[in-house]
Amino acid sequence: MGKYDCLFEPLQVGSLQLKNRIVLELMGIHSHRLVNADDSFTEDGIAYYETIAKGGTGLIITSAMPVNSAFDLSKGSKAAMDLAGEEFIENTKKLTERLHRYGAKIFMQLSAGAGRVQPRFIADGEPVAPSDGLPNFWNPSITHRALTREEIEQYIRCFGEAARKAKEGGVDGVEIHAVHEGYLLDQFTLAFCNKRTDEYGGSLEGRFLFAKKIVEAIKESCGKDYPVSIRYSVRSMMRGFNSGALPGEVFTEVGRDLNEGIAAAKLLEACGYDMLNADNGTYDSWWYAHPPVYMPEGCNLAESVEIKKHVHIPVVCAGRMENPELALKAIQEKQIDGIGLARQLLADPEWPNKLMKEQEEEIRPCIACHAGCLNRIFKGQDLCCALNPAVAREKEYAITPAETKKHIVVVGGGIGGMEAARVCALRGHQVDLYEKSGKLGGMFIPASAMSFKESDKRLIAWYEHQMEKLGVNLHMNTAVDSKMLKELNADEVFVATGSSARTLQLPGFESDRVLTAVDALMNPEKVQGDLVIIGGGLTGIEIAYEYARKGSRVTVLEAMDKYLNVDLAAANRNFLLAAVDLYHIDVQVNAKVGAYTDGSVAYTNPDGEHSVKADTVIVSIGYNSENSLAKELGGEHVHGIGDADHVSNLMGAIWQAYEAAMKL
């Protein structure tokens, strides 16, 4: 018996048997390179899904297809299932045939649209919702009108017809999007949003009538045995419109609470749904449906466990379920029936196969950063992954043997340096990596020090394992200069010397109570009492959140007119904004810092001069590139990467290292 065998037991969903308990959750794939004009998948889109099927995933749920072109389509788009014709069906057959070769099953997700959570700046058609006057999530000054009974019935017919087309394309089942995350169907089910007085409002049964008629239309169109899953949020986690609750917060639920979530799950089973694909949250609290690094692992598991006690159909749980031990326990103890993964299967599509072989140390962990996936999707860019540049570029970015084997020297053992070493070693080059300290990880070591960044620590461990496994020659505690590099006579040199924290030359800032962000993260024992953090970028706000949760009084002084002025996925940003509010972190913008004297930091803003008590001051104002070695060496065979080239983020360092190493 293998340790993870229970994850690979078959799962029955209606009439369909899945080969295992692992489900690829939907991720939006809408860029022109990955989908055709009718939203069927291009060769690149098919190759993306094929990679995940090849990696061992049992059920693949494709990105949401709108069923009704009358509402919520992006400007100029004709990609809706009511407009799809024979070409869509033929393209879908190509997808299903390719994925079926690996024993994977495919569900197409069919969507009723977004309602009040539709970004109106990209949408055609009227803003609609269950009831008149609902505020738009992105721009609350826009209000939505109620769908008429006739329009609802049009939607229902579209679902039945869309499922028929999916079935003709070889799709094994469909999933309805969604009584989940506050989308249109979910808005119908929430009394807070649904004030209708006709049969589609009022009681729980009335509010779920839309969802009931959808599954009935699909079963009539495709046969009673055709599997239909529903994406389902057990709890809404809403304080109000555009106001979500954080984990552990005591609040008054205005959406669906747990008791109603259980009742609704039983109702959905009675309606004819064959599977509940469960999580929590709405757009107003969408860090549950798109959990950033700040959310705990298994953040939706407790609620999924509760509803499983009350239904007989399979329950899949999504939301940071990628930790193998967590997944194993949940299935082994029959808490749930399936594991829903999304970003983890971007970071490492071979997650299932590696677990089957009990090769946990080989799994590249997702760090829940959203930089390469959600953030890019909302910009209309291709889906990808910060850690795995080959996602959705599987053929173009495939690692192949180098034509000429070379001696490669990498200076710096941070993530960028290790990524360059890894790719070069995989391509057959001889690689020597020199690190001036006794640890690998570089600036990512302090970045991973916060209590909520366990997955970051796992990423460092994964890279360390790759260096050993691939035979990279490590030279630790070894500083390198230009003279030494010339003596090494390498064919190619990667300079990955990273960056150093910026400091402030102000009166009193020479005190040992003034720390850089790196000092504070590496030496937490030095951080005591009331904190003043200078700099309201991502690191500054993350440190503020870390210590405010522990009970410290925290003030953040930001020189610009807003804080978190960085390129950040909306789910991550919204979580941190909510955390600043919940933990009473005092953020002052337009703040010009003066001296640190008598245990206080002086600053001025448009309101005048101020002073704030600080037992510890943490300076988090960015980093300077450590690029002197790269500049000194120069030449076409010297490659500055990561912060040694320009200060960037983890995604920038990994992608640059990967692409540079692929050219050698």
Side-chain angles (χ1 to χ4, degrees), residues 4-17:
Y4 295 100
D5 281 358
C6 64
L7 287 172
F8 298 95
E9 293 174 354
L11 176 62
Q12 197 72 28
V13 179
S15 62
L16 181 71
Q17 187 177 84

Side-chain angles (χ1 to χ4, degrees), residues 408 410 414-426 429 431 433 463 467 472 494 496 641 653-654 656-658 660-662 664:
I408 310 291
V410 179
I415 299 296
M418 287 192 286
E419 178 67 4
R422 183 185 76 89
V423 176
C424 286
L426 283 169
H429 297 301
V431 184
L433 185 151
Y463 269 109
M467 298 300 98
V472 173
F494 285 95
I641 56 174
I654 288 176
Q656 186 183 30
Y658 188 100
M662 289 289 287
L664 301 184

Side-chain angles (χ1 to χ4, degrees), residues 82-368:
D82 59 333
L83 304 177
E86 285 303 315
E87 185 176 358
F88 179 93
I89 293 170
E90 291 305 310
N91 286 338
T92 301
K93 286 179 181 177
K94 295 176 185 176
L95 170 75
T96 55
E97 287 170 2
R98 294 263 285 277
L99 272 57
H100 284 155
R101 294 174 189 171
Y102 302 97
K105 303 298 182 184
I106 306 98
F107 280 10
M108 181 181 291
Q109 200 173 72
L110 304 177
S111 176
R116 65 167 285 263
V117 302
Q118 173 65 260
R120 296 308 306 168
F121 53 87
I122 64 168
D124 279 331
E126 292 181 86
V128 296
S131 304
D132 288 327
L134 288 186
N136 184 265
F137 170 78
W138 301 96
N139 183 358
S141 68
I142 297 173
T143 56
H144 292 238
R145 72 157 175 89
L147 283 165
T148 67
R149 182 186 289 107
E150 292 75 19
E151 288 168 336
I152 295 170
E153 291 169 354
Q154 177 187 354
Y155 259 114
I156 292 165
R157 290 192 298 272
C158 286
F159 270 102
E161 181 63 13
R164 180 192 64 77
K165 293 176 182 178
K167 186 178 181 181
E168 285 188 26
V171 176
D172 301 293
V174 293
E175 178 166 279
I176 304 310
H177 185 267
V179 180
H180 144 90
E181 206 182 349
Y183 282 92
L184 180 64
L185 275 180
D186 200 17
Q187 292 159 37
F188 266 85
T189 68
L190 301 177
F192 186 64
C193 297
N194 185 341
K195 306 299 182 185
R196 301 178 72 97
T197 56
D198 63 8
E199 67 269 36
Y200 291 99
S203 67
L204 185 70
E205 289 75 14
R207 287 181 275 122
F208 275 80
L209 183 60
F210 195 173
K212 178 176 185 288
K213 288 192 174 184
I214 286 171
V215 70
E216 290 173 346
I218 293 171
K219 296 287 187 177
E220 182 178 350
S221 176
C222 298
K224 294 189 177 186
D225 289 340
Y226 195 62
V228 184
S229 169
I230 190 159
R231 195 79 163 98
Y232 176 58
S233 293
V234 184
R235 295 179 62 187
S236 300
M237 302 295 189
M238 288 176 66
R239 300 193 207 111
F241 288 129
N242 289 49
S243 179
L246 296 182
E249 179 181 348
V250 177
F251 70 104
T252 300
E253 175 67 78
V254 302
R256 184 163 48 248
D257 63 15
L258 181 58
N259 288 333
E260 185 171 286
I262 292 169
K266 294 162 70 174
L267 182 60
L268 289 167
E269 179 180 28
C271 290
Y273 285 97
D274 298 295
M275 186 173 86
L276 295 173
N277 192 357
D279 62 4
N280 289 311
T282 64
Y283 262 57
D284 311 272
S285 57
W286 67 338
W287 40 83
Y288 289 90
H290 302 282
V293 62
Y294 320 111
M295 290 290 285
E297 292 179 342
C299 54
N300 301 316
L301 181 58
E303 288 76 18
S304 299
V305 170
E306 283 302 311
I307 62 168
K308 176 168 168 55
K309 297 175 183 176
H310 300 273
V311 297
H312 300 94
I313 56 176
V315 174
V316 173
C317 176
R320 299 213 65 194
M321 292 297 296
E322 68 273 8
N323 185 322
E325 294 297 331
L326 175 70
L328 174 63
K329 184 175 186 293
I331 298 297
Q332 203 168 50
E333 297 182 3
K334 302 187 185 303
Q335 297 175 337
I336 53 175
D337 301 291
I339 303 299
L341 302 175
R343 295 167 296 171
Q344 177 57 66
L345 293 174
L346 301 182
D348 195 336
E350 291 283 328
W351 191 91
N353 286 344
K354 289 175 180 178
L355 278 193
M356 186 181 290
K357 298 173 185 175
E358 298 185 26
Q359 295 175 340
E360 302 97 317
E361 74 284 353
E362 292 289 345
I363 293 172
R364 174 167 42 196
C366 169
I367 61 170

Side-chain angles (χ1 to χ4, degrees), residues 497-519:
T497 45
S499 59
S500 58
R502 291 177 180 166
T503 59
L504 286 173
Q505 304 302 314
L506 293 171
F509 274 68
E510 70 281 358
S511 168
D512 59 7
R513 292 161 67 183
V514 178
L515 310 172
T516 66
V518 172
D519 292 337

